[in-house]
Amino acid sequence: GAGVSQSPSNKVTEKGKDVELRCDPISGHTALYWYRQSLGQGLEFLIYFQGNSAPDKSGLPSDRFSAERTGGSVSTLTIQRTQQEDSAVYLCASSPVGLASSIQYFGAGTRLSVL
Amino acid sequence: GQQLNQSPQSMFIQEGEDVSMNCTSSSIFNTWLWYKQDPGEGPVLLIALYKAGELTSNGRLTAQFGITRKDSFLNISASIPSDVGIYFCAGQLTGGYQKVTFGTGTKLQVIP
């Protein structure tokens, strides 16, 4: 597609349930990032993928959070046993290689609400 | 995680006024980026800076890469209502994988 696509755009779930958030990066972008943005806050880095591997998982807040990427394309962020503090907007970004590798292109995000 | 300090955190301005915001870091960066986030959307790149001292314009926006490499500035001239949003700076060291560090954001409100 032309841009980074995330689904669903909104997700409401009950505390304790598992959720999966999906990201389709820009075609050809090898790098993929997940961020969390709480209400009125900045961007909290979660995880970075280069191809299918994740060399930097340092931002995942707990072992309830995991992510995978397949075929060097689609990525899924999974949150198990959701808690109310997980409520936030989850943003995905992708970037190309080379000189412009620092420029990240963001999706519109998934707004997660845990009741 | 580490974040850059942006100031001001928020600002209300009258339409037509000029706006200035800045971003400071305790460590140096080789690349500075400025993004804008509209409500309900992801951040969109406005300006990228790759050289200390560089001054770059994009329409009514002008950004500068601080000479110390520890700061950057964004100016918006003659603000209009659609300038409303959150502005984020971001910094990165180049060479291999270097995490992009985002600022805390400046929320801009424009009063028509």
Side-chain angles (χ1 to χ4, degrees), chain A:
Chain A
V4 178
S5 177
Q6 290 189 246
S7 60
S9 54
N10 284 283
K11 176 72 177 179
V12 180
T13 190
E14 293 179 351
K15 177 181 173 181
K17 300 283 189 184
D18 298 351
V19 295
E20 284 190 353
L21 312 179
R22 177 186 167 106
C23 173
D24 280 274
I26 293 173
S27 178
H29 282 191
T30 59
L32 186 148
Y33 307 80
W34 283 98
Y35 294 89
R36 180 168 69 176
Q37 185 176 28
S38 301
L39 186 64
Q41 299 297 311
L43 302 175
E44 178 187 3
F45 168 80
L46 297 178
I47 188 170
Y48 156 68
F49 284 93
Q50 181 60 251
N52 290 336
S53 63
D56 189 350
K57 306 178 183 180
S58 62
L60 295 177
S62 75
D63 58 8
R64 296 187 296 105
F65 287 72
S66 63
E68 65 175 13
R69 189 179 184 193
T70 55
S73 181
V74 173
S75 177
T76 302
L77 177 69
T78 301
I79 309 174
Q80 295 178 308
R81 305 181 302 281
T82 51
Q83 303 295 312
Q84 287 183 333
E85 61 263 28
D86 298 334
S87 297
V89 175
Y90 290 82
L91 292 163
C92 174
S94 68
S95 64
V97 295
L99 191 61
S101 62
S102 57
I103 298 175
Q104 298 182 18
Y105 297 83
F106 285 84
T110 294
R111 182 175 298 276
L112 176 65
S113 300
V114 182
L115 304 179

Side-chain angles (χ1 to χ4, degrees), chain B residues 27 30-32 34 36 40 43 51 53 56-57 63 65 68 79 81 85 96 101 107 109:
Chain B
S27 53
N30 295 334
T31 298
W32 282 94
W34 284 92
K36 182 194 177 195
K51 187 177 177 181
T56 297
S57 294
F65 191 140
T68 66
S79 59
T101 301
K107 186 173 183 179
Q109 308 265 36

Side-chain angles (χ1 to χ4, degrees), chain B residues 60-112:
Chain B
R60 293 179 296 106
L61 278 61
T62 301
Q64 184 161 25
F65 191 140
I67 199 71
T68 66
R69 296 199 287 159
K70 291 184 178 182
D71 55 11
S72 181
F73 307 88
L74 177 70
N75 295 315
I76 305 172
S77 62
S79 59
I80 59 178
S82 62
D83 290 333
V84 165
I86 303 175
Y87 291 79
F88 291 102
C89 62
Q92 188 192 35
L93 285 170
T94 49
Y97 164 63
Q98 298 290 348
K99 186 186 300 181
V100 175
T101 301
F102 282 86
T104 48
T106 293
K107 186 173 183 179
L108 178 64
Q109 308 265 36
V110 178
I111 304 167

